[in-house]
Structures are given as C-alpha cells and as structure tokens.
Amino acid sequence: MGKIVGDSPLALPMVCLHCAANIKENLGERMIDSFGRPTLRKNEQEGPLSVSYSICPECGEKAQVWQRRRGIALCVLVCLLIAGPVSLGLLFAVFYSPTGLDRAALIFAFVFIFIFIVDVGGIYGVAYCEAKAPNRLALSRAVGDTMVLSGAGRKFVERFQE
C-alpha cells in the first residue's frame, strides 16, 4: 500500500528514498527522522521512534529547487494579498467623485478581478511546488516499536515490496 513498516530504530538501505538509485560511498545524504510516540498515558517514558534513510544528490537538489520556488511563490502571494487591498483603496479614492462613480466602480471591478486571478494563481503555484517537491517520511501509525511510515517514492516502494 506504499507504506514502510519496521521496528524503531529503523535503518533503511543505502538506496535513495525517492528514486531508488543505489547510493555510492560518500555520495548522497543520510538523514535521520525522529517521531514522538503517540501515547495515551502521560507517564510513559519511552524514547522517540527513529528512522534513517538516504537521499541521492539529484533528489536532494530537486527538493531544494522546489522548496525555493515554493518560497518565492509564497512571498509573491503574501505581497499581493497586502498590496491588493491597498491599491484598490487608492484607486477608489483617486477615481471616486459623485459624477464619476460609474467609472470608479468599473476600474475598481477590473482591478479587483485582476488581483483575485493573480492571487488564485499564487495559491496554485504554492500548491504545485509543494506537490512536486519530494516528501520527507511521515509517521502514519505506531504500535510499540513498530511504525508505519509514508512518504517514500513509488520506485523505492516497488523495489523493496515483498
């Protein structure tokens, strides 16, 4: 089902988590993720669950590129969300007059629609970058030391499927 199941601490093989390429010596990055245990009792003193895995240089670089693009899209979106209402207010103040109300309303409507379309594009850009970036592992479920992880690449799961 696309999940990794193992006991903590889990050490995945020296294969890229996303593209399933073999990691050669000193190439790639070994990562360690720790997850808090979902507990029902507050007095439980067990340590966190942990997993170590590898990322090849190509997938690591691809993740950084998509994270930078997401950051740029997010900055543009925030700037537009701030600048949009300010520019609409200024436009309405400049073009408003009792005789020119129709013209002011028309300009206001066009600018509002333009800013709305650009903001929707910014939201789509952030979501697209988030979807394209390789994901980190996430804890789906844990029972004792056995954990179920999601977020591995399809090729990795297919390579090690039993």
Side-chain angles (χ1 to χ4, degrees):
M1 305 254 307
K3 308 265 186 205
I4 299 171
V5 179
D7 290 335
S8 179
L10 178 62
L12 296 177
M14 293 294 285
V15 172
C16 179
L17 183 69
H18 302 294
C19 68
N22 291 326
I23 305 290
K24 297 180 176 80
E25 250 179 67
N26 296 329
L27 295 177
E29 186 176 355
R30 193 72 176 166
M31 315 230 352
I32 299 174
D33 282 348
S34 295
F35 307 101
R37 292 178 187 266
T39 60
L40 298 175
R41 294 175 273 160
K42 292 182 179 181
N43 296 336
E44 211 167 295
Q45 294 298 323
E46 297 176 358
L49 301 167
S50 66
V51 58
S52 60
Y53 57 94
S54 299
I55 303 287
C56 71
E58 291 84 18
C59 289
E61 185 176 319
K62 187 166 94 172
Q64 289 177 353
V65 166
W66 283 109
Q67 288 170 355
R68 277 194 299 272
R69 289 178 181 170
R70 181 190 61 210
I72 291 169
L74 192 59
C75 287
V76 168
L77 178 64
V78 168
C79 289
L80 286 172
L81 288 174
I82 292 170
V86 170
S87 63
L88 286 174
L90 288 174
L91 276 172
F92 197 72
V94 168
F95 289 107
Y96 176 75
S97 68
T99 59
L101 185 56
D102 292 336
R103 189 176 82 176
L106 184 63
I107 292 172
F108 182 79
F110 279 129
V111 172
F112 178 77
I113 291 170
F114 175 75
I115 291 173
F116 178 75
I117 290 171
V118 173
D119 284 342
V120 168
I123 292 169
Y124 174 77
V126 171
Y128 182 77
C129 291
E130 188 66 31
K132 294 295 281 183
N135 297 329
R136 295 182 67 106
L137 285 176
L139 182 66
S140 295
R141 187 177 59 219
V143 177
D145 280 340
T146 303
M147 55 187 168
V148 179
L149 303 167
S150 62
R154 183 179 50 86
K155 291 179 181 179
F156 181 88
V157 172
E158 288 173 356
R159 181 173 175 180
F160 294 102
Q161 195 171 26
E162 290 186 61

